[in-house]
C-alpha cells in the first residue's frame, strides 16, 4: 500500500524531472511494478480491502501440544555425578594384555 506522499514523489519525478522508471526505482526505493501502476492510473491512494472475510479452514479441534518451556526439566547433574554418568556410558573395552 503506497501512501499519498510516495505517489506524489513518483509522479513528480517522472513528469516534472523527467526521470525514467529505472531511476525512480533506484532513487526512491520503490519497486518497479508499483511505480508502473502509479504512473498508469490516476489514483491518489492505493489500498486493499477485502469484500468478505474467508472462513477458517480447520478440522475438528485438537488439543495443542504442551509448551516446551513448561515441560518438567531433568535434574541438573553436578560435576561429580557427571563423571559417573560418563563412565557408565563408555563402551566396554577388552582388558589390556600383559
Amino acid at each position: 500500500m503506497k501512501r499519498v506522499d510516495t505517489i506524489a514523489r513518483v509522479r513528480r519525478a517522472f513528469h516534472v524531472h523527467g526521470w525514467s522508471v529505472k531511476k525512480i526505482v533506484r532513487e526512491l526505493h520503490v519497486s518497479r511494478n508499483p511505480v508502473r501502476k502509479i504512473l498508469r492510473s490516476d489514483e491518489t491512494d492505493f489500498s486493499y480491502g477485502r469484500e468478505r472475510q474467508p472462513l477458517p479452514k480447520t478440522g475438528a479441534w485438537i488439543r495443542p501440544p504442551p509448551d516446551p518451556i513448561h515441560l518438567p526439566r531433568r535434574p541438573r547433574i553436578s560435576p561429580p555425578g557427571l563423571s559417573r554418568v560418563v563412565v557408565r556410558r563408555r563402551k566396554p573395552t577388552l582388558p589390556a594384555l600383559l
Side-chain angles (χ1 to χ4, degrees), residues 2 11 27 31 45 53 58 69 73-74 88 94:
K2 300 299 174 200
R11 287 191 178 141
E27 298 292 326
S31 297
D45 186 27
Q53 177 70 29
T58 58
I69 295 174
R73 295 180 66 186
R74 293 185 306 183
R88 244 186 285 143
L94 294 173

Side-chain angles (χ1 to χ4, degrees), residues 52-63:
R52 69 178 188 89
Q53 177 70 29
L55 296 174
K57 297 183 183 198
T58 58
W61 186 79
I62 300 171
R63 184 175 298 281

Side-chain angles (χ1 to χ4, degrees), residues 4 6 9 11 15 19-20 23 26 29 32 39-40 53-54 57 61 63 65 70 74 77-78 83 87 90 93 95 98:
V4 177
T6 306
R9 288 187 308 162
R11 287 191 178 141
H15 295 295
W19 290 2
S20 66
K23 185 171 182 179
R26 276 195 312 259
H29 304 288
R32 185 172 55 95
L39 295 175
R40 272 197 317 257
Q53 177 70 29
K57 297 183 183 198
W61 186 79
R63 184 175 298 281
H70 300 294
R74 293 185 306 183
I77 301 173
S78 61
S83 63
V87 168
R90 277 196 203 145
T93 57
L98 296 176

